[in-house]
Every structure is written in C-alpha cells, then in structure tokens.
C-alpha cells in the first residue's frame, strides 16, 4: 500500500543533541525516521519500527516508521539531516532557500535497509 | 578542579549565559543549567585528531601536518574560478571577520547557514524592517507569547523558561500564570501541547492566514471567508482579539514560515501584521535563530560588506542577490568549482543535488567533527571549538552581543589562525 503525504522536515531535541556526533548510531536513530499519525500508519498496514521507502520527485530514502499523534492526516515528518535531505525539493524559489517543507511524497513499506550516513553520502559520489 | 560560573552556551540562538562548568585536568566533567542540546555540545564527542587529505574522494584519508593541509587548501581555493566559502554559524565573530577577508581576496561567494534557516527573514527585513525587542524586554513585559512555525520545546529548550513563557520579570511577576501562549503550526507539536490557544493551519497556507488576520484587524472581517488555510473565521477572530488585547505581544517565528511556500513573503506579511498591531498595542517579532552565532555572522557580514549573507565578491565589490548568489543557488547551477565549508555542515543540511555537486568538486572542510561534509571533502582541517576552547563574540537571536568564554585549553588550532594562514598562502601563491 502506498500513502500519498505532504512531507515536512525540521528540528527535534535528539537531532540537536547528536548534531555534533553525526557518525554515531545515536544520530541515525535521531534523524533516520519518518513520523505519521496512527491512521496513516494503519493505511500502510505496518507497525511503527518497520521500514518505509519515502519517494519524492527529488529522490528516495529508506527510514524507520514512527508514530506521532500530533500529525494531521497525510502529513509526514522527517527530522532535518541527510536522510530528509535525500528527498527534499532543492528549488530555492528565487530566494536561496530550498524546499525543506511541503514536499509531496509517496510512502510505502519496504524490506530495504536504512543506509548508514557514510553509505547515504556515498550515493552522491 | 575549576568551576566556571555564568558561562555561555555555544549551541542555539538563546545563548544562555548562566551555565556552570566543572573542569578537571583540562577536561569538562560537568555542565549545569544547560539543556540537552547545550550539554551534549559542551561535554563533547569524538574529535577529528589531525588534518587529513585525499585526492580521490572514494579513497581513505591520510593524516598530514597542519602546514600541508593549509597549503593544499590555499592551492584549491586559489586555483578556483568560482569558490564558495560556506558555514560560519558555529564560530565566533572574530572568525567571520577573517573569513570575509579571505572571500574578498579570492573573489569568492561567502554564505552562511542562514541560507537554509532564516535567510528569507533577512530578505523580509530588507522590505519591512524588524519591529523587535530584546529577550529581556519580552521576559519583563510580555503577556502574550506567540510561537509561529517554531517549536522551542525541541529547538530552543530554555527559551520558554528564561525569556518567554515561564520567565518572571519586572512586570511579569506571575510568570506562566500571567501569560497567554499561542502556537500556530501545521501539526500539534510538543510546544503546541503547552499552548492556551493552538491554531492548526494547512501546510503552506501561512501567508493566507496572516492576510486574513490583517483583514480582520483592520475592520474588514466581512471579506474573510468562513475558513482560511484550514482555520475557521471564528478562530481567526479569536486570535486577533488575543493579539489586540495583549499589553505586550511577543511573536517568535521559525522555519514553518521561512521554509514553507511563499518563503520570505510569509515573514514580510507577518512583519506587516506586527506593524499594524502596534496601532492597538505593543507587539514585537523575533526570528528563532538556530546556531548560537548565526546572528553574529549576519552582523559582521553586514558591517564589512553591506550585506548580511550570500555575498559575491567576484566583481571585486560586494554583490548580493539570494536566489542567485546563495550557496544552494550556485551549487545547483554547478557554478561552484571549489568550496570551503567551515563551522557548518553543508553535507548534512543541503538537498541531495547540492551535495552531489560538492562531491564532484574539491572541498576543504574546517571543523572539529567528522560529519557528512567530511565524506565529500578532500582536505580536512580540525579546529578548536569556539565557545568551549576559544573565546570570542557571539550575537543572541535578538541581536544582543555577548562574550563567549573559554572553558578549557584548545587541543587544536583555532579557526582564526587557520584562516589567517590560508589567506597568507593564497596571497603568496598570487605573488602579492
């Protein structure tokens, strides 16, 4: 099952607390996930902790699924960082700022693994 | 054992100045009063031990001397036709000054992390000015606090306690009890959970909602539809009442405005709303700045070049036009042919296409830590940590300058010395 969602990215306390330690598993734990509300998780038919493939017109990335009851229906949140930035909209809209929020995304269950930071960046080389 | 009191925190734009640091044998063993963000940075993590270099970005780094790394950095930058010097926000103002001199020498573009943070706010302030106040004013006077597209529980954990929601001051002795807290956001954040009034809008509709508030405020509620951006007219009218009847309203905005559709126009509109509210009451607006000294870079750059960010020296004189000269603009156009990333992490915080271009050009990184930028770098120069091992000036989110203190002796060269040496070497290579 694929869920169409609007993706936003942003800060979290654990993302910030590990920001100077980006080679650590703590950083990956803090940033390589996607939050949906319980209803949207129900549509995907999997449980939190499973892996999802997040696809946008700009790329795709595998992250862990998390529940956040505060998200409205059809809204996905990934903490800012290299996993989120694999799928954000680079267009700076004439003012220098890429599109880190409001990106149409397609989310589906996957068996693929979550890449380590090193592996993720290696895709760009 | 040494105990340092009233130390400043080098993490976020709150620049808390009440920390107590315990030092034993030149190692920080305890941090008191800091939040989770500040404590984790001050306690420190694994550092890059020594300068490193590699030609091929897929090969392993080899440790080299500072002299070798600095010489290679200078070679890369002086051979570049369109260099980009990016980052700066995790460094003190003294570093910014040296960086701007290097940018001028190279004819480079210099841009800072505001480009993926509050850069659009700078553009809006150019249009409208910034009716703002110091955080001290807010603490002592504000009775209505609004967080719009910002989530201080996560991003600025002590903001509410020290300056806004809970702080007790001269005319706000009741603290939280005497204040009304409004949160405007697209989702129910942990900050929204603490609000008296939560206004949930549809993603990307901030501009519409602000326009509707302005219409109601100016007595034109009749032209406002029953629902704007997912917010009912009733809720909008209630919010206007809250803002109008406050004695001192402090609005704090974040990436919800700067990164969503309409970008700087959202902030432009919000500043107009604040200006119009001042016909009824006192209202101020302040950006929730992320890095502890991103505001400092804007100030230093503005007084040195006339522009706060995204300054292009290619013409010999400073030129500025975000959308054309900001870091992601030049990377996405594949114009940049060499980059120096310092005190900021483009590898982690730029979109994939920008990092893809960084991976194809020579990159010099100056940073205490191994991060995604290191993965695409050719030369890595580890430095002392500003605000922990190096003293200097930083600017709080409200533009108040404070002196960062040295807590322990550095184990690496400071950024200023590395930049001075690179600049000297660049001049020598150019026969100056």
């Amino acid at each position: 099952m694929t869920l169409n969602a609007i993706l936003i990215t942003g800060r979290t306390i654990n993302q910030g607390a590990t920001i100077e330690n980006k080679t650590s598993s703590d950083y990956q734990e803090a940033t390589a996930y996607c939050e949906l509300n319980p209803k949207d998780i129900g549509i995907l038919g999997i449980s939190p902790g499973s892996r999802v493939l997040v696809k946008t017109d700009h790329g795709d990335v595998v992250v862990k699924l998390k529940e956040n009851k505060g998200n409205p229906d059809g809204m996905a949140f990934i903490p800012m960082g290299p996993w989120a930035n694999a799928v954000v909209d680079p267009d700076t809209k004439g003012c220098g700022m890429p599109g880190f929020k409001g990106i149409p995304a397609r989310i589906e269950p996957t068996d693929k693994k979550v890449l380590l930071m090193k592996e993720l960046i290696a895709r760009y080389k | 054992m040494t105990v340092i009191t009233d130390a400043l925190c080098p993490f976020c734009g709150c620049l808390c100045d009440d920390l107590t640091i315990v030092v034993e044998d030149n190692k920080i063993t305890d941090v008191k009063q800091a939040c989770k963000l500040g404590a984790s940075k001050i306690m420190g993590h694994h550092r890059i031990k020594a300068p490193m270099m590699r030609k091929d970005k897929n090969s392993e780094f080899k440790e080299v001397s500072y002299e070798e790394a600095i010489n290679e950095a200078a070679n890369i930058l002086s051979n570049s036709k369109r260099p980009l010097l990016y980052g700066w926000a995790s460094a003190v103002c003294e570093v910014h000054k040296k960086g701007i001199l290097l940018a001028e020498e190279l004819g480079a573009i210099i841009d800072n992390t505001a480009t993926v943070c509050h850069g659009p706010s700078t553009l809006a302030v150019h249009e409208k000015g910034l009716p703002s106040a110091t955080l001290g004013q807010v603490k002592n006077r504000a009775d209505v606090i609004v967080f719009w597209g910002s989530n201080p529980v996560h991003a600025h954990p002590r903001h509410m306690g020290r300056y806004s929601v809970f702080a007790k001051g001269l005319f706000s002795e009741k603290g939280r009890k005497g204040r009304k807290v409004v949160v405007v956001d697209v989702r129910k954040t942990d900050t929204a959970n603490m609000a008296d009034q939560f206004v949930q809008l549809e993603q990307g509709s901030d501009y519409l909602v602000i326009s509707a508030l302005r219409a109601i405020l100016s007595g034109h509620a009749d032209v406002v539809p029953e629902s704007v951006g997912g917010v009912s007219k009733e809720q909008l009218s209630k919010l206007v009442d809250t803002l109008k009847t406050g004695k001192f309203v402090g609005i704090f905005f974040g990436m919800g405005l700067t990164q969503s559709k309409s970008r700087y126009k959202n902030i432009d509109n919000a500043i107009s709303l604040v200006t119009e509210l001042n016909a009824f009451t006192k209202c101020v607006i302040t950006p929730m700045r992320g890095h502890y000294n991103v505001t400092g870079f804007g100030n230093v750059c503005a007084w040195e070049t006339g522009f706060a960010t995204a300054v292009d020296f290619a013409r010999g004189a400073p030129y500025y036009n975000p959308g054309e000269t900001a870091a992601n603009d030049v990377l996405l156009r594949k114009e940049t042919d060499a980059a120096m990333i310092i005190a900021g992490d483009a590898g982690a915080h730029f979109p994939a296409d920008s990092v893809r271009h960084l991976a194809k050009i020579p990159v010099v990184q100056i940073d205490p830590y191994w991060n995604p930028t290191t993965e695409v770098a050719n030369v890595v120069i580890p430095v002392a940590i500003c605000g922990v091992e190096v003293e200097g000036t930083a600017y709080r989110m409200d533009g108040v300058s404070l002196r960062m203190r040295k807590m322990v002796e550095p184990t690496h060269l400071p950024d200023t010395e590395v930049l001075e040496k690179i600049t000297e070497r660049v001049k020598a290579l150019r026969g100056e």
Side-chain angles (χ1 to χ4, degrees):
Chain A
M1 187 67 202
T2 301
L3 176 79
N4 288 316
I6 294 294
L7 171 68
I8 59 169
T9 66
R11 288 193 186 279
T12 75
I13 186 92
N14 288 331
Q15 169 267 332
T18 54
I19 197 168
E20 303 285 24
N21 200 6
K22 295 195 186 93
T23 54
S24 70
S25 57
D26 288 349
Y27 180 65
Q28 175 163 339
E29 195 66 30
T31 52
Y33 67 80
C34 175
E35 283 177 353
L36 294 172
N37 74 15
K39 189 177 155 196
D40 287 339
I41 290 177
I43 292 171
L44 288 177
I46 48 175
S47 28
S50 312
R51 279 153 291 160
V52 286
L53 177 65
V54 180
K55 286 198 253 183
T56 69
D57 290 349
H58 319 288
D60 58 72
V61 71
V62 177
V63 288
K64 255 164 83 171
L65 179 64
K66 267 197 184 181
E67 183 182 285
N68 187 327
K69 293 191 174 83
N71 283 21
D73 293 347
M75 174 166 288
F77 171 86
I78 305 181
M80 62 186 273
W83 287 272
N85 288 337
V87 292
V88 298
D89 181 357
D91 190 347
T92 66
K93 300 282 183 194
C95 67
M97 170 65 83
F100 292 107
K101 295 186 197 284
I103 311 125
R106 301 169 296 283
I107 301 170
E108 58 190 50
T110 185
D111 292 330
K112 289 181 188 166
K113 70 171 199 133
V114 179
L115 294 180
L116 298 172
M117 180 276 276
K118 226 178 171 45
E119 297 167 335
L120 190 69
I121 304 298
R123 295 203 300 184
Y124 304 140
K125 292 190 203 174
Chain B
M1 189 177 86
T2 316
V3 176
I4 306 166
T5 54
D6 299 326
L8 279 83
C9 177
F11 194 94
C12 85
C14 285
L15 219 54
C16 296
D17 54 6
D18 62 342
L19 273 49
T20 300
I21 311 290
V22 182
V23 178
E24 287 173 69
D25 296 331
N26 203 41
K27 281 206 166 58
I28 295 169
T29 55
D30 197 12
V31 181
K32 295 188 174 94
Q33 279 91 256
C35 70
K36 189 174 179 179
L37 303 176
S40 82
K41 176 161 182 185
I42 294 165
M43 290 303 285
H45 301 286
H46 310 293
R47 301 276 289 275
I48 298 171
K49 284 192 198 114
M52 312 183 290
M53 283 177 12
R54 60 182 174 185
K55 280 263 181 262
D56 173 6
K57 297 197 191 205
N58 286 307
S59 66
E60 298 294 313
F61 280 109
K62 279 198 182 123
E63 284 191 6
V64 294
S65 66
Y66 269 101
E67 196 186 350
E68 280 176 90
I70 284 166
N71 285 347
E72 182 57 17
N75 282 337
I76 287 173
L77 294 171
S78 60
N79 284 330
S80 164
K81 288 199 173 81
R82 195 76 169 126
L84 167 69
L85 312 184
Y86 170 80
W88 308 105
S90 286
V92 289
C93 294
E94 290 77 358
V95 177
H96 303 159
K97 197 175 162 184
K98 301 279 179 202
I100 292 161
L101 287 172
L102 176 60
E104 189 175 16
E105 179 64 34
L106 291 165
I109 284 179
I110 186 162
D111 196 9
N112 73 325
T113 60
T115 200
V116 288
C117 200
H118 274 287
S121 308
T122 305
L123 286 167
V125 171
H126 286 185
E127 300 283 317
K128 294 276 164 70
L130 190 68
S132 197
T134 62
L135 294 172
Q137 291 284 340
V138 173
K139 172 190 169 178
N140 284 302
R141 296 175 190 275
D143 60 340
V144 175
I145 301 287
V146 181
F147 294 111
W148 194 309
S150 64
N151 187 8
V153 169
H154 282 265
H156 301 85
R158 297 188 75 212
H159 188 281
M160 290 185 289
R162 276 174 60 80
Y163 309 116
S164 56
V165 176
F166 301 104
K168 290 181 181 172
L170 202 55
F171 306 107
S172 56
E173 65 279 1
K174 287 186 190 157
R176 176 70 180 91
K177 283 182 189 153
R179 287 197 178 92
K180 193 166 257 187
V181 178
V182 181
V183 171
V184 185
D185 211 306
V186 297
R187 59 184 193 133
K188 198 158 195 206
T189 59
D190 289 331
T191 305
N193 283 327
M194 300 169 66
D196 301 304
Q197 213 171 323
F198 171 48
V199 178
Q200 188 164 9
L201 42 74
E202 285 165 6
Q203 211 287 323
S205 63
D206 304 78
Y207 190 90
L208 291 176
V209 171
I210 295 166
S211 297
L213 294 173
R214 290 179 64 194
I216 296 169
L217 183 70
S218 62
H220 296 292
D222 54 317
V223 301
V224 175
E226 282 312 305
S227 171
V228 178
V231 187
S232 70
K233 191 170 176 178
E234 192 190 337
Q235 252 191 312
L236 292 167
S237 300
K238 194 178 156 202
L239 179 53
V240 169
D241 279 346
T242 303
L243 298 173
K244 259 171 88 173
T245 52
K247 286 189 183 119
F248 188 116
V249 181
I251 300 177
F252 295 94
F253 68 99
M255 306 296 94
L257 285 188
T258 66
Q259 295 180 340
S260 295
K261 194 165 81 180
S262 309
R263 311 283 204 276
Y264 77 98
K265 282 290 182 187
N266 293 328
I267 299 113
D268 182 300
N269 211 6
I271 294 170
S272 292
L273 172 67
V274 170
T275 304
E276 287 155 14
L277 275 165
N278 274 285
F280 300 91
T281 185
K282 175 75 182 174
C283 180
V284 299
I285 183 164
T286 303
M288 294 286 260
R289 305 304 301 266
H291 287 75
Y292 76 94
N293 198 27
V294 66
T295 310
F297 182 85
N299 276 274
V300 176
C301 198
W303 76 58
E304 295 283 356
T305 74
F307 307 109
T309 187
V311 181
D312 183 358
F313 279 102
R315 291 159 175 79
Y319 169 80
Y320 151 95
N321 186 23
E324 179 195 352
T325 61
N328 281 289
D329 302 324
V330 278
L331 287 171
L332 292 166
R333 288 202 307 270
K334 301 182 170 57
E335 216 171 280
T336 308
D337 60 353
M340 184 180 90
I341 314 290
I342 172 169
D345 184 3
H349 297 134
F350 280 5
D353 281 353
S354 296
V355 185
R356 220 167 254 130
H357 186 63
L358 281 173
K360 288 186 174 57
I361 60 171
V363 171
V364 177
Q365 182 192 28
I366 302 177
D367 203 283
Y369 298 108
W370 193 301
N371 58 35
T373 299
T374 320
E375 299 294 332
V376 295
N378 297 90
V379 179
V380 179
I381 306 175
V383 281
I385 302 170
C386 291
V388 176
E389 299 169 336
V390 182
E391 66 169 6
T393 299
Y395 280 67
R396 207 167 63 183
M397 64 167 72
D398 55 353
V400 170
S401 63
L402 295 163
R403 191 76 181 161
M404 306 302 291
R405 298 175 61 183
K406 187 203 266 193
M407 300 169 188
V408 289
E409 289 303 321
T411 48
H412 295 75
L413 285 187
D415 301 82
T416 44
E417 200 175 322
V418 171
L419 289 173
E420 267 170 26
K421 287 182 170 164
I422 292 176
T423 309
E424 274 169 29
R425 186 71 194 146
V426 165
K427 283 183 177 171
L429 286 167
R430 293 178 167 196
E432 288 173 24

